[in-house]
Amino acid sequence: MIELQLSADVPSLLPRVSHHFQSPLGWQWSGHSCRVLEHDCLLLLEHQSHYMMLFVDLNMSDYEAFQQVWQRRLVAEALTIADLDPVDGCDLQVELLGRSEHLLVTDGKPLAKMVALSEVEYGLSVLAKQYGRLPVDESEEFRWGVVLNQARSYHGYSPYRLFADVCRQLIQEELVSLDPMVLH
């Protein structure tokens, strides 16, 4: 399961459920919105690595099919970043598809990961001013995200590198959970 905690600034086009659990549910991400060059941007931040995914100018149909939109992007970005051999790549794809089938969208904490988000918003503004525009499609959003994730540091490493490690860990956790001979 993946929990996506949305801050109040994210349009209410994504339906949320109330979350009254004491402990985190599954893999956690935060969603925040900002405006850059008069465009609406959605920033999704993975909690472990601070890896950020960028979405620009999502429309009503994107929000209606958000689980599929995000699932496609998550799998594509993770496979690219993790840079795995074909077998492990297939394992990661299966793991991510399974986890993202169960997307729980909840209200997030308004100040969650604020430093990382400020860095991303600032970096996005700098890139937008440099190029005079924002990304126009998913592949550009990913390329800009790569730049933004490699330019920042979290625990001494770039979120790009940390996210690659998180993806590799997902495969290892899945292998361990499938092997009855492995002692936990």
Side-chain angles (χ1 to χ4, degrees):
M1 172 184 287
I2 296 176
E3 180 183 7
L4 176 56
Q5 301 171 357
L6 298 178
S7 62
D9 61 3
V10 174
S12 60
L13 298 171
L14 279 175
R16 298 157 168 88
V17 296
S18 295
H19 178 262
H20 299 292
F21 303 101
Q22 296 289 41
S23 59
L25 296 174
W27 195 13
Q28 291 193 309
W29 290 69
S30 292
H32 305 269
S33 65
C34 64
R35 286 194 54 83
V36 177
L37 296 179
E38 301 302 316
H39 293 271
D40 293 319
C41 301
L42 177 63
L43 307 174
L44 300 184
L45 189 78
E46 195 272 335
H47 285 205
Q48 274 184 273
S49 64
H50 283 206
Y51 179 80
M52 181 276 312
M53 292 176 71
L54 169 65
F55 297 83
V56 178
D57 288 334
L58 293 175
N59 60 37
M60 181 70 85
S61 63
D62 293 328
Y63 279 108
E64 288 172 354
F66 187 74
Q67 184 168 353
Q68 293 79 24
V69 169
W70 187 56
Q71 184 181 58
R72 183 182 64 245
R73 281 281 299 281
L74 175 63
V75 170
E77 291 190 24
L79 288 172
T80 302
I81 289 167
D83 192 29
L84 300 168
D85 65 59
V87 172
D88 285 341
C90 287
D91 290 343
L92 178 60
Q93 184 172 0
V94 167
E95 178 64 19
L96 290 172
L97 288 172
R99 284 178 186 243
S100 60
E101 277 294 312
H102 307 286
L103 178 63
L104 179 66
V105 180
T106 63
D107 288 319
K109 300 175 183 90
L111 298 177
K113 311 292 182 202
M114 193 52 73
V115 172
L117 289 167
S118 296
E119 291 173 350
V120 169
E121 285 183 36
Y122 175 75
L124 184 57
S125 294
V126 169
L127 285 173
K129 286 177 187 169
Q130 180 181 348
Y131 291 100
R133 64 179 182 83
L134 284 171
V136 295
D137 60 29
E138 288 183 3
S139 64
E140 280 193 354
E141 289 171 349
F142 174 58
R143 283 195 299 274
W144 283 44
V146 167
V147 170
L148 294 167
N149 283 304
Q150 289 180 334
R152 297 180 299 117
S153 179
Y154 183 62
H155 294 297
Y157 298 98
S158 73
Y160 182 93
R161 177 178 172 186
L162 293 171
F163 188 65
D165 292 343
V166 166
C167 292
R168 289 184 200 104
Q169 261 181 343
L170 291 174
I171 297 170
Q172 294 307 314
E173 288 172 9
E174 183 62 19
L175 292 176
V176 167
S177 71
L178 293 175
D179 187 351
M181 301 303 291
V182 175
L183 298 176
H184 296 283

